[in-house]
Amino acid sequence: MDPGGSCVPDDPDVKLMMGGSTLRKVKSRSWKKQRNFRLLEDGLTIWYKSRWAGKGHSTFSVTDLEAVREGHQSEVLLSIAEEFPAELCFTLVFHGRQGNLDLVAESPKEAQAWINGVRKLIHKAQTMDEQERLDQWVRDWFQKADKNKDGKMNFKEVKTLLKMMNVDMNEEHALKLFTTADKSESGTLEIEQFVHFYKILTQRDEVWKVFQDYSGDGEMLTLEELESFLTLEQQEGEQSSHHAQELIQRYEPSETAKKQSAMSLDGFQMYLCSQEGSIFKPEHLELQQDMSQPLSHYFISSSHNTYLLEDQLRGQSSLEAYIQALKRGCRCVEVDCWDGSDGEPVVYHGHTFTSKILFKDVISTLRDYAFKVSDFPVIVSLENHCGVEQQTVMANHLKQILGDMLLTAPLNGQVPQQLPSPQELRGKILLKAKKIGGLEERLNETLTDEVSDEDEAADGDADIPNIEDPPTEKNKNAEASRELSDLVVYCKSVHFHGFEHARSNSKCYEMSSFSESKVKKFTKDAGAEFVRHNSRHLSRTYPSGLRTDSSNYNPQDMWNVGCQIVALNFQTAGLEMDLNDGLFRQNGCCGYVLKPGFLRDANSQFNPENPKEQPGYKQLRLSIQVISGQQLPKVNQKERSIADPLVRVEIYGVPQDQAKEETSYITNNGFNPVWNETLNFVVHTPELALVRFVVEDYDKASRNDFLGQFTLPFTCIQTGYRHIHLLSKDGTPIPPSSLFVNISISSAETGPSD
């Protein structure tokens, strides 16, 4: 890819961005400061600094951006709407958990140029192929390191740059390659020459060896040779001949080779690094499951305290938190409602220092963002602390703002014998809350007798310990507004009185919430019964009130017994959210994943504590040869140190499947470490297992630093030689960081050893 703005050559918007603009950066109603912004020559870096000389500057890459919002589409810009009209305002939205950048231009024309220009550049960055992406990554580093901006680098500067890129290499070898790349013999490399230098530096022996195993002449893979690689190594079976031809067309850079239906080493490496060469079966990334079964047959991506961006004691409540959760495929959001001082209900974590947002604004945000990434239903889990009056206000907001999106009556007017399917509920928002009476009849009594204090705690999220409700609160809340109650259709919250009671009395549209400790107790005491209950009823689980830091429980324990709505703090990065992202990465990231057959069967005997009793039980052996790593990220860009990486593979599933194995660490090489170590596992319930690959920087004195991870369901693994494209702590891609592995799955004979 050419450097400079040539990525969108004569575009007037991009030209204006390169010329630079003075934009106001807005952080709050009172913090609005002018900054000079411009797009650098590489066409991908946006640079800005304060107008005062001598102050430092900041940069970010277009590849860090997810979208541009036009007008007053953030809380900050809404708060200054009177001062700055919508046509001057726009918001740059970053991937992951990085905060947005709210900006105000000096004229509508300038705002429009930035909005259109950034959108074009984002589109360009998203449509780059693997090779262009890698080239761009190398160019970005070059730009960062070229301090005097003369577009040249001598050997000393290149050595420093390599260290920044996590490369520690033999100086003699580096100098030899530097001289080869320095075609003009000037003692410096220009950007094109540096890209060439980088390519010869990163030639991968381990890929070359695999290529040599199948190539007759060591130069090319013929169509037949590529087919036999796909059949024998990649286990592709029947489809390999047609697929081989497709791969050559798609990844072979040389036209001559294409004409001969052959693949060069370059093409082979590009295929292996592509989505098709990745560990995740491409067909499982698409929407490919049966979506016509009852809601209770699916795992549903679910968020807890959705309104929080930080912890639940003094974090900020924010509409942005709802947008972020919905963008991650979340299909069940939580709304904690309290009486507002001016008759408008507010949302926040009661009796804490978290800030408040208006209920009606939350509902407007849901209307705008609920179906952007998935059109399957969204459940609004209402934690209702309001008096009757404001409950009625809530009901009116729900009806007026959501209109037809809100499901207000059973489908086809029938009382259901089983829950409807995600397919039937496409584009609908469902309310989960308490209901007066059932769908069968409309009773006239209020909820006063139905809701005891114990029920309140058992059904909703338990409040933070040692914080008492004011005495008036309970009496005020004991009544329910008929208007709000009537909006509850398929998700009526009820107190759980035991499995037997539920079996003989509960309607399919009644559901209960369980704290993490309750789930653990029921799983231990009555695992198979819990599984059967969850085949017919929805269950929501939530983290303990003691987790004031908004940490998460391991969702796997809940999925093992078929709980569908396993609510996690989406704002808290870490293992638990990695597992959630991993499970829901399949099936088009639509937020719904069909549970395995044994969790959908009303007569199931499955018990996660003892999976061997399951009919058709068969354990599998998973063997992972961890071959090498590529361009692992640095923990700390400023430090001179280079990573000592190790790879750990973790299995999460039924208790018997929980396992971890790791490679040794490689000293001082985060660039192209080679392990060639094999890790072996036996998996008893593959349908429930998730496999997590973690790369860490080994440290003998303190905890290892996290470098990257990737998590996926066992059932989505492609065998053979595969790349694993690593993700950051936030779950966002960090190209070109990857692992190269060889995976085999085989039947494991049951024996005394396991």
Side-chain angles (χ1 to χ4, degrees), residues 71 115 133 137 295 305-306 337 341 418 509 537 595 605 614 659 667 681 699 718 749:
I115 291 163
R133 223 177 275 277
W137 183 76
L295 277 183
N305 289 349
T306 316
C337 282
S341 52
Q418 62 172 28
Y509 57 80
H537 294 279
K595 300 196 289 190
Q605 295 303 308
Q614 171 65 12
T667 312
F681 301 91
D699 192 326
Q718 296 206 85
E749 293 308 314

Side-chain angles (χ1 to χ4, degrees), residues 150 164 211 235 312 334 376 429 460 480 514 542 617 666 695:
D150 67 349
M164 284 162 66
F211 184 82
Q235 310 264 295
Q312 61 193 52
E334 185 182 10
F376 290 111
I429 291 176
F514 304 93
Y542 58 90
Y617 162 78
I666 306 275
V695 186

Side-chain angles (χ1 to χ4, degrees), residues 289-294 298 418 420-424:
Q289 294 182 343
D290 174 8
M291 301 307 285
S292 63
Q293 301 199 25
Y298 297 84
Q418 62 172 28
S421 69
Q423 182 65 44
E424 293 171 294

Side-chain angles (χ1 to χ4, degrees), residues 588-654:
C589 294
C590 75
Y592 284 80
V593 165
L594 190 63
K595 300 196 289 190
F598 54 78
L599 292 182
R600 310 194 303 260
D601 177 1
N603 303 311
S604 177
Q605 295 303 308
F606 176 75
N607 184 342
E609 300 288 322
N610 193 357
K612 290 184 177 175
E613 289 178 3
Q614 171 65 12
Y617 162 78
K618 184 169 146 244
Q619 57 185 14
L620 294 177
R621 190 175 300 286
L622 170 67
S623 180
I624 300 169
Q625 182 194 5
V626 180
I627 303 170
S628 62
Q630 292 73 45
Q631 290 102 343
L632 301 175
K634 282 192 72 129
V635 179
N636 189 333
Q637 293 300 356
K638 293 187 178 63
E639 279 181 19
R640 278 279 175 254
S641 73
I642 296 221
D644 302 332
L646 62 85
V647 178
R648 189 168 56 254
V649 177
E650 304 170 345
I651 311 277
Y652 295 88
V654 297

Side-chain angles (χ1 to χ4, degrees), residues 129-356:
D129 66 27
E130 294 297 324
Q131 197 50 55
E132 287 178 313
R133 223 177 275 277
L134 187 62
D135 281 4
Q136 190 53 54
W137 183 76
V138 178
R139 288 174 199 287
D140 287 350
W141 274 110
F142 188 93
Q143 302 278 5
K144 264 184 227 167
D146 183 10
K147 293 282 185 270
N148 62 356
K149 300 285 171 238
D150 67 349
K152 293 190 172 84
M153 263 191 214
N154 62 30
F155 183 61
K156 189 172 175 228
E157 290 171 319
V158 164
K159 271 194 340 193
T160 310
L161 172 55
L162 290 178
K163 229 175 169 59
M164 284 162 66
M165 290 169 89
N166 225 346
V167 187
D168 192 13
M169 60 177 317
N170 175 309
E171 192 160 325
E172 212 174 308
H173 178 56
L175 185 56
K176 202 167 116 195
L177 297 183
F178 181 92
T179 316
T180 312
D182 179 14
K183 296 272 192 287
S184 54
E185 299 182 4
S186 62
T188 59
L189 299 184
E190 290 177 18
I191 194 158
E192 293 302 329
Q193 294 171 328
F194 180 72
V195 171
H196 175 63
F197 164 76
Y198 178 83
K199 280 193 175 136
I200 47 182
L201 175 71
T202 52
Q203 277 174 352
R204 291 175 50 191
D205 287 350
E206 72 278 25
V207 173
W208 183 78
K209 279 182 188 137
V210 178
F211 184 82
Q212 290 300 310
D213 285 345
Y214 284 87
S215 166
D217 63 359
E219 297 293 317
M220 287 284 173
L221 286 175
T222 63
L223 188 60
E224 290 70 30
E225 288 166 348
L226 180 55
E227 273 175 37
S228 77
F229 169 76
L230 294 174
T231 309
L232 297 172
E233 297 293 350
Q234 310 298 72
Q235 310 264 295
E236 288 196 4
E238 302 306 305
Q239 52 160 349
S240 58
S241 94
H242 175 59
H243 196 205
Q245 192 63 63
E246 275 182 354
L247 295 178
I248 291 170
Q249 288 311 312
R250 206 166 300 155
Y251 300 111
E252 178 49 57
S254 149
E255 287 304 324
T256 324
K258 265 188 194 168
K259 284 199 179 78
Q260 296 167 353
S261 287
M263 189 179 253
S264 66
L265 177 59
D266 277 353
F268 186 64
Q269 189 160 316
M270 277 170 77
Y271 149 63
L272 285 175
C273 293
S274 74
Q275 190 55 68
E276 287 177 277
S278 93
I279 188 174
F280 206 110
K281 288 181 182 167
E283 65 273 20
H284 282 235
L285 288 169
E286 308 299 319
L287 182 68
Q288 43 85 245
Q289 294 182 343
D290 174 8
M291 301 307 285
S292 63
Q293 301 199 25
L295 277 183
S296 54
H297 287 187
Y298 297 84
F299 293 126
I300 303 172
S301 181
S302 305
S303 150
H304 175 247
N305 289 349
T306 316
Y307 43 87
L308 292 183
L309 276 172
E310 296 159 53
D311 74 68
Q312 61 193 52
L313 283 187
R314 47 186 77 74
Q316 184 193 354
S317 302
S318 165
L319 299 173
E320 207 54 54
Y322 283 95
I323 296 172
Q324 285 188 15
L326 291 164
K327 276 194 320 205
R328 281 182 96 147
C330 177
R331 299 285 86 192
C332 178
V333 297
E334 185 182 10
V335 184
D336 272 20
C337 282
W338 300 80
D339 281 336
S341 52
D342 56 357
E344 279 294 342
V346 290
V347 173
Y348 78 113
H349 203 270
H351 314 306
T352 63
F353 300 108
T354 58
S355 59
K356 301 178 171 75

